[in-house]
Amino acid sequence: MAKPLSKLVSCVILDLDGTILNTDGIVSDVLKSYLVKYGKQWDGRRAHRIVGKTPYEASAAVVEDYELPISTDEYISEITPRFSEQWCNIKAQPGANRLINHLRNHGVPMALASNSPRTNIETKISYHQGWKESFSLIIGGDEVTSGKPSPEIYVEAAKRLNMNPSCCLVIEDSLPGVTAGKAAGMEVVAVPSLPKQSHLFTSADEIINSLLDLRPEKWGLPAFEDWIEGTLPIEPWYIGGPVIKGFGRGSKVLGIPTANLSTEGYSAILSEHPSGVYFGWAGLPTRGVYKMVMSIGWNPYFDNSEKTIEPWLLHDFNEDFYGEELWLAIVGYIRPEANFPSLDSLVAKIHEDGKIAENALELPLYSKYKGDPYLKISFPENI
Ligand code: ADP
Ligand code: RBF
Ligand code: MG
């Protein structure tokens, strides 16, 4: 949904929670355990009711939605210590460190504008090395009269940065944040942190799936230079377990055999990684190590209701391994998940992904992980 010609900008204003910090998992964990106290059950589908709101409004929404027998202020005093305790556990969103380092190294001024109070912002970012020093400005919800969706926080940020709002690029994960940035007269890239919400972000100038997909050159900023042969190296991550028998539609409908891993027990890993196409090495302990390309996400063509992990072992590997253990070392990223207009175009794209992965895995940068102990191969590799 990018406009044909984006306006060029000279500074970037980042939102904190959900945009550069992966706060959502922590929020749902804290609320899940807190609500038990009142005999209520956290409903992930209602997360949109709190994401991006000011702390007070988010609290009021929880009290209302779960019909808690307490006032919003009482709720705030009960929940605040539970959240503060977890701040040290909040991870950076994938691509956040890469983006912050890139902009800082190129001297692009960066600001942080969050509905959270200023002191909370500072504590939260203190757990992330190099962040505080990277921002020329930090502005909190307690430094303005009204928080997002009011444009005030962004207008004030531009003023303090000594920038014209039209020269600022806002990066936001929530609807109130996008609304605030647009009302302030800024260019806005939305990175929705909740799944299947993109259709709501029509006012954004561009919607991307994750920070990994940001192309700063579209906004006149220096381009990333870390893509190699169509792939982006990532901090490796690991996942493994038994292959589920007969689940999924991959091999039958697509004519491409894809394994289905149980996602049970991997909810943290799944929430930490944006949906998209990744690749790496796959170990079948009794057989060997194989090149692998995979999708993680909802597979919009089939509109799955669960986030899935679907690896495809390359090299014309064509035997069944139902029920066997499959261990994956995921080392690179290829593209965001897309919705294809036809099965043919989806199949063609998956084959293209396979070629990209196959070639890239020859690069020393990626091939060095072939012997990763996580792949659990106990005899010399067979390929
Ligand atoms: P469908 O997806 O059509 O419902 P399954 O999910 O049962 O069928 O089929 C996937 C199975 O295909 C996996 O369990 C695995 O044993 C097998 N398989 C065969 N070759 C491969 C391959 N190259 N990559 C991934 N899985 C493969
Ligand atoms: N499904 C999509 O709807 N969109 C995609 O972009 C997409 N990319 C994929 C990439 C790879 C490498 C693989 C193995 C699968 C991909 N799929 C995608 C998933 C495919 O639709 C999946 O096999 C079905 O959802 C069956 O479960
Ligand atoms: Mg399958």
Side-chain angles (χ1 to χ4, degrees), residues 151-178:
E152 198 184 337
I153 198 165
Y154 282 120
V155 170
E156 183 61 27
K159 205 189 278 172
R160 293 198 204 169
L161 286 168
N162 214 3
M163 291 278 177
N164 193 309
S166 66
C167 298
C168 301
L169 175 66
V170 165
I171 305 181
E172 266 287 355
D173 73 302
S174 75
L175 205 47
V178 168

Side-chain angles (χ1 to χ4, degrees), residues 343-365:
L343 196 60
D344 284 349
S345 55
L346 170 62
V347 169
K349 190 67 178 179
I350 296 176
H351 281 284
E352 201 182 294
D353 295 331
K355 293 252 155 55
I356 292 173
E358 208 150 351
N359 292 332
L361 285 164
E362 296 291 328
L363 299 167
L365 167 74

Side-chain angles (χ1 to χ4, degrees), residues 3 40 53 83-84 118 125 152 160 163 177 188 214 253 260 279 308-309 315 321 325 339 350:
K3 289 188 295 190
K40 309 281 168 156
K53 288 196 172 159
F83 276 127
S84 314
R118 170 72 180 254
I125 67 172
E152 198 184 337
R160 293 198 204 169
M163 291 278 177
V188 179
L214 185 74
V253 179
N260 295 98
F279 65 94
T308 58
I309 305 167
H315 272 284
F321 44 93
E325 286 187 357
N339 197 357
I350 296 176

Side-chain angles (χ1 to χ4, degrees), residues 248-250 254 258 260 277 293-295 299-302 304 310-312 335-340 346 350 353:
R249 296 160 283 197
L254 302 175
T258 57
N260 295 98
V277 178
V293 67
M294 63 176 231
S295 85
N299 303 324
Y301 185 83
F302 291 94
N304 292 352
E310 233 188 284
W312 172 27
R335 65 171 175 90
E337 197 171 42
N339 197 357
F340 289 88
L346 170 62
I350 296 176
D353 295 331

Side-chain angles (χ1 to χ4, degrees), residues 96-142:
N97 278 301
R98 168 179 179 250
L99 173 64
I100 291 169
N101 294 337
H102 174 75
L103 295 177
R104 190 194 52 236
N105 293 342
H106 285 86
V108 177
M110 257 180 293
L112 197 52
S114 162
N115 269 347
S116 295
R118 170 72 180 254
T119 54
N120 295 4
I121 301 176
E122 294 197 347
T123 313
K124 284 187 200 172
I125 67 172
S126 69
Y127 300 101
H128 298 266
Q129 223 196 334
W131 284 20
K132 193 177 194 311
E133 308 81 85
S134 300
F135 295 105
S136 14
L137 170 73
I138 295 173
I139 182 166
D142 55 341

Side-chain angles (χ1 to χ4, degrees), residues 243-254 256-260 310-324 326:
V243 170
I244 307 170
K245 181 181 166 116
F247 173 82
R249 296 160 283 197
S251 45
K252 284 176 212 118
V253 179
L254 302 175
I256 299 170
T258 57
N260 295 98
E310 233 188 284
W312 172 27
L313 274 55
L314 301 165
H315 272 284
D316 295 324
F317 187 91
N318 247 327
E319 294 156 64
D320 276 347
F321 44 93
Y322 289 124
E324 285 181 41
L326 177 67

